């Protein structure tokens, strides 16, 4: 008798706890506007999408309006990168007063090998590079992943 | 089939080998379990590893110290901050630099948030393994909020590379404290929902109680740590015994339950979430002002010697062992990962049980496969 009672009690308890759980589900079912975290991507890509300023996306070398950047071609970022996705090609240039100087020729960035760790940004003493918060980085051709970041004809920005 | 009744039924059956994984929804990654079954009873269980071996330990030998840290995020990806912290602490030990107080506080907050996300994800996936899908979405809802905070402050959601030798990469945003306060209110509310939905569910309790019994002695001999060991009555919280980054100044309880079964493991994690919230609450109102990063040279060189640092990740004890020959790259870096040892306990607790209980045991051990393989 006792075991039957126990059994029935368990069946009842099972249904009861099922109901408690379902009540919660039902609550959310009837309150569909409460706590939505779903992003309607890609529909919202131009409207509500919120990518934080710090989001570690593609590495870029910002140029100012006179087509000048801050990179001194010191290659510290190249050494800091764990994946070898940076290649700094520099050339020796002679200024008017005869001093030899190393200037940046090509800042080559292989996006396909980058893990967005941010070590290069951290290593750069000039703060010449930053990470943009862009994230739609796919391209059709693999070769397009290798980018030259300095624009043609760009110069080093002199320190004031 | 022709059957004359003289042959006992036992001789007509034979053992059957089933491969669970590497692509199985309830192994959460590429772990292959080779189960020898007799009917539904598990006779033998052989975990086959190596599907996601990346050679992280070897890779560190050709990268510098700073560069190795980002790799550790990819071991136990649900405890990325804590892994980074472990590696940074070991390197700081070698360099003998003092971490600013502000950085320490930020580190602990991040680590505890990480523990919270990890346990939340575990809660969802544990319930999903046992057949309930709704909890998974509820868990992801809260986790998403915490990940948003990570994304805003550290720039990444999963593999942060935020904690570095000397402190943290960048200072937290001005709204950090207020956003976390807001978040904790929500999380506490939702923890109640979790309890309502799953913990109180009799069917769920029946699936876990008395299943996957890991006795205390076995847990010790298998080297289990973290919630798995604490559910077997072993007090082993590294945050208590070998405090780092100022855990000794905080008030929190180590959750030890003597149940030894899957239910105890479930309870330990649920309670740990509350403790994590408690720790964050103590710190969030008074993050010290000042530097967030001590000055560290661009290329780190450690003096010749050996350095060891242990931390408590969401899954147990992570040990980082560095041997330095004085150069700018580690001579050897060894990681003692929690999941690997915890996996060892899976065979003894499931052999002899039914295959349905294997999922329950595995779910409550909470394995992260890249942590096992490295
Ligand atoms: S973000 Fe990391 S992987 Fe990418 S280029 Fe910079 S250092 Fe290299
Ligand atoms: S980007 Fe910065 S670190 Fe890299 S070469 Fe230029 S100045 Fe040096």
């Amino acid at each position: 008798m006792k075991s039957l009672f126990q059994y029935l009690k368990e069946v009842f308890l099972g249904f009861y706890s099922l109901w408690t759980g379902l009540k919660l589900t039902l609550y959310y079912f009837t309150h569909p506007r409460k706590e939505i975290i779903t992003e309607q991507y890609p529909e919202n890509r131009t409207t509500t999408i919120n990518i934080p300023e710090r989001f570690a996306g593609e590495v870029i070398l910002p140029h100012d309006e006179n087509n000048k950047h801050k990179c001194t071609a010191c290659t510290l970022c190249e050494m800091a990168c764990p994946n070898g996705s940076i290649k700094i090609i520099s050339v020796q240039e002679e200024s008017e007063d005869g001093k030899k100087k190393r200037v940046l020729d090509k800042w080559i960035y292989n996006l396909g090998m980058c893990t967005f760790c941010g070590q290069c940004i951290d290593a750069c003493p000039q703060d010449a590079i930053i990470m943009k918060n862009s994230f739609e980085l796919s391209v059709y051709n693999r070769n397009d992943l290798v980018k030259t970041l300095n624009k043609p004809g760009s110069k080093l920005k002199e320190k004031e | 089939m022709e059957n004359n009744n003289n042959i006992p039924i036992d001789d007509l059956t034979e053992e059957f080998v089933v491969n669970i994984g590497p692509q199985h929804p309830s192994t959460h990654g590429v772990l292959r379990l080779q189960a020898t079954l007799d009917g539904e009873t598990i006779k033998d269980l052989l975990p086959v590893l190596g599907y996601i071996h990346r050679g992280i330990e070897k890779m560190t030998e050709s990268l510098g110290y700073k560069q190795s840290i980002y790799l550790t995020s990819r071991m136990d990806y649900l405890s990325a901050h804590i892994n980074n912290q472990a590696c940074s602490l070991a390197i700081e030990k070698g360099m003998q630099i003092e971490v600013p107080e502000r950085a320490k506080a930020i580190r602990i907050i991040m680590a505890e948030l990480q523990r919270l996300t990890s346990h939340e994800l575990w809660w969802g996936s544990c319930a999903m393994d046992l057949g309930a899908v709704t909890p998974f979405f509820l868990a992801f809802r809260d986790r998403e909020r915490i990940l948003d905070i990570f994304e805003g402050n550290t720039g990444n959601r999963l593999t942060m590379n935020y904690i570095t030798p000397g402190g943290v990469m960048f200072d937290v945003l001005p709204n950090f404290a207020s956003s976390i306060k807001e978040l904790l209110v929500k999380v506490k509310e939702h923890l109640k929902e979790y309890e309502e939905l799953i913990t109180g569910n009799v069917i769920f309790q029946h699936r876990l109680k008395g299943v996957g019994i890991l006795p205390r002695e076995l847990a010790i001999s298998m080297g289990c740590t973290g919630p798995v060991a604490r559910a077997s009555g072993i007090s082993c919280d590294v945050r208590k015994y070998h405090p780092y980054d100022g855990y000794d100044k905080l008030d929190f309880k180590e959750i030890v339950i003597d149940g030894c079964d899957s239910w105890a493991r479930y309870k330990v994690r649920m309670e740990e979430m509350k403790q994590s919230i408690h720790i964050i609450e103590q710190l969030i109102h008074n993050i010290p002002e000042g530097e967030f990063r001590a000055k560290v040279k661009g290329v780190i060189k450690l003096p010749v010697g050996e350095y060891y640092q242990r931390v408590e990740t969401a899954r147990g004890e992570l040990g980082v062992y560095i041997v330095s020959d004085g150069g700018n790259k580690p001579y050897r870096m060894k990681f003692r990962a929690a999941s690997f040892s915890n996996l060892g306990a899976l065979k003894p607790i499931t052999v002899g049980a039914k295959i349905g209980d294997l999922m329950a045991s595995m779910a409550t051990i909470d394995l992260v496969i890249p942590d096992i393989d490295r």
Side-chain angles (χ1 to χ4, degrees):
Chain A
M1 193 61 208
K2 199 164 179 201
S3 66
L4 182 70
F5 178 71
Q6 201 65 32
Y7 179 73
L8 285 176
K9 194 175 141 199
E10 285 218 338
V11 171
F12 174 75
L13 267 179
F15 274 114
Y16 176 74
S17 55
L18 206 61
W19 165 243
T20 341
L22 281 177
K23 210 164 62 188
L24 189 74
T25 311
L26 216 62
Y27 174 78
Y28 279 110
F29 185 71
T30 51
H31 295 72
R33 295 259 142 245
K34 203 180 174 226
E35 307 198 16
I36 297 177
I37 56 156
T38 313
E39 299 264 353
Q40 295 299 334
Y41 184 79
E43 282 81 12
N44 69 350
R45 64 200 285 192
T46 52
T47 53
T48 59
I49 199 159
N50 172 31
I51 304 297
E53 202 59 32
R54 268 189 198 165
F55 180 78
E58 184 188 10
V59 174
I60 55 166
L61 181 71
H63 290 62
D64 68 0
E65 61 282 357
N66 304 326
N67 202 13
K68 289 194 170 164
H69 57 73
K70 290 197 259 176
C71 177
T72 55
C74 66
T75 70
L76 280 180
C77 52
E78 187 179 338
M79 284 189 282
C81 180
N83 303 312
S85 51
I86 298 175
K87 190 113 197 70
I88 307 283
I89 299 172
S90 56
V91 285
Q92 293 284 353
E93 228 174 51
E94 212 162 314
S95 58
E96 296 101 64
D97 48 352
K99 266 198 218 143
K100 274 208 183 130
K101 216 175 135 201
R102 199 168 44 162
V103 293
L104 180 71
D105 184 26
K106 277 195 177 116
W107 209 110
I108 296 173
Y109 171 50
N110 189 343
L111 179 61
M113 267 154 59
C114 178
T115 51
F116 311 108
C117 65
Q119 303 268 12
C120 48
I121 316 291
D122 197 38
C124 180
Q126 314 291 337
D127 291 329
I129 40 177
I130 55 168
M131 267 174 153
K132 214 164 112 186
N133 63 354
S134 55
F135 61 100
E136 288 163 332
L137 302 172
S138 49
V139 288
Y140 281 104
N141 191 342
R142 200 174 133 182
N143 295 334
D144 295 348
L145 288 171
V146 184
K147 303 179 183 185
T148 307
L149 294 190
N150 55 328
K151 293 188 191 144
S154 61
K155 285 260 157 38
L156 173 67
K157 192 172 172 177
E158 298 300 335
K159 283 211 186 85
E160 293 94 39
Chain B
M1 196 172 80
E2 203 178 311
N3 185 7
N4 45 17
N5 291 331
N6 307 337
I7 305 171
I9 192 80
D10 271 1
D11 293 354
L12 288 173
T13 65
E14 58 181 61
E15 286 177 351
F16 191 70
V17 178
V18 177
N19 277 310
I20 301 163
Q23 307 289 343
H24 190 272
S26 76
T27 54
H28 306 296
V30 280
L31 173 69
R32 183 170 129 219
L33 293 173
Q34 217 174 56
T36 310
L37 302 179
D38 178 11
E40 273 202 39
T41 313
I42 298 170
K43 285 271 141 140
D44 192 17
L45 191 77
L46 184 71
V48 184
L49 310 176
Y51 288 92
I52 190 159
H53 182 78
R54 292 144 296 170
I56 287 182
E57 284 177 10
K58 194 72 195 167
M59 273 164 89
T60 59
E61 288 168 25
S62 56
L63 296 171
Y65 286 102
K66 256 190 197 171
Q67 280 72 20
S68 312
I69 291 176
Y70 95 102
L71 282 173
T72 61
S73 314
R74 280 143 180 94
M75 298 191 317
D76 179 354
Y77 50 84
L78 295 176
S79 309
H81 271 311
I82 313 179
N83 293 353
N84 293 167
Q85 192 182 8
C87 207
S88 303
L89 281 166
I91 295 171
E92 280 155 14
K93 233 181 211 178
M95 292 162 68
Q96 302 199 331
I97 44 172
E98 192 55 41
V99 182
E101 288 299 318
R102 185 177 175 81
K104 283 185 183 175
I106 297 173
R107 279 180 177 191
I108 293 187
I109 293 174
M110 289 296 183
E112 292 306 317
L113 281 176
Q114 183 82 77
R115 198 182 314 277
L116 206 56
T117 57
S118 171
H119 283 353
E120 255 162 13
L121 181 75
W122 157 82
W123 178 80
S125 62
C126 169
M128 197 172 70
D129 287 352
L130 299 176
V133 181
T134 319
F136 197 67
F137 295 105
L138 292 184
F140 261 69
R141 176 189 63 186
D142 287 351
R143 186 168 178 264
E144 180 67 28
R145 284 213 182 80
I146 305 180
L147 291 192
D148 278 346
I149 289 186
F150 284 163
E151 195 182 9
N153 286 289
T154 74
N156 279 313
R157 291 163 62 86
L158 199 65
T159 51
M160 289 86 171
N161 191 30
Y162 177 61
I163 298 175
T164 75
V168 291
M169 275 267 196
F170 347 87
D171 204 355
V172 288
L173 297 175
N175 70 350
F176 183 64
S178 59
S179 61
I180 286 190
K181 252 180 261 172
E182 238 167 74
L183 171 102
L184 289 187
V185 173
K186 283 261 185 266
V187 170
K188 271 197 239 169
E189 227 170 81
H190 291 152
L191 270 181
K192 282 193 203 108
E193 285 183 358
Y194 292 4
E195 306 269 349
E196 195 181 327
L197 188 66
I198 290 292
T199 315
N201 191 313
V202 179
I203 303 163
F204 188 75
Q205 290 180 7
H206 272 271
R207 292 274 330 251
L208 294 187
K209 276 184 185 163
V211 168
I213 295 193
L214 177 67
R216 196 186 141 90
E217 289 73 29
L218 188 65
I220 293 174
S221 59
M222 286 293 166
C224 295
T225 46
V228 177
R230 287 198 283 280
S232 294
I234 303 163
S235 161
C236 62
D237 198 324
V238 180
R239 292 173 293 170
K240 281 274 184 218
Y241 288 99
H242 306 276
Y244 51 92
D245 272 349
Y247 268 111
D248 42 348
K249 294 190 200 95
L250 297 167
D251 159 59
F252 65 100
K253 277 210 293 286
E254 183 187 2
I255 312 291
V256 180
I257 295 181
D258 215 354
C260 302
D261 56 355
S262 296
W263 179 245
R265 293 194 276 277
Y266 177 86
K267 292 292 270 185
V268 167
R269 289 208 181 84
M270 293 308 271
E271 290 300 318
E272 268 188 13
M273 282 200 243
K274 288 177 198 155
Q275 290 301 323
S276 289
I277 295 176
H278 183 55
I279 293 176
I280 299 168
E281 274 176 343
Q282 289 172 50
L283 278 173
I284 198 71
H285 298 293
N286 40 18
I287 304 177
E289 294 294 322
E291 286 280 300
F292 59 90
R293 195 173 182 183
K295 283 251 176 308
V296 174
K297 281 199 217 91
V299 177
I300 295 176
K301 278 186 188 160
L302 295 195
V304 183
E306 299 172 8
Y307 310 97
Y308 186 72
Q309 174 68 41
R310 42 169 82 179
V311 298
E312 181 81 17
T313 71
R315 258 148 227 90
E317 180 182 326
L318 170 74
V320 177
Y321 176 58
I322 299 178
V323 182
S324 168
D325 57 0
N328 57 359
K329 287 165 188 163
Y331 176 75
R332 173 87 167 94
M333 209 188 250
K334 155 95 183 130
F335 300 107
R336 184 255 180 233
S339 289
F340 184 76
S341 311
N342 290 353
L343 174 71
L346 189 62
K347 181 183 169 181
I349 68 175
T350 48
V351 166
K354 295 271 186 285
I355 190 157
D357 292 343
L358 170 68
M359 295 310 149
S361 304
M362 206 153 76
T364 52
I365 283 185
D366 189 19
L367 299 168
V368 165
I369 316 305
D371 196 24
I372 298 172
D373 268 344
R374 295 192 294 289

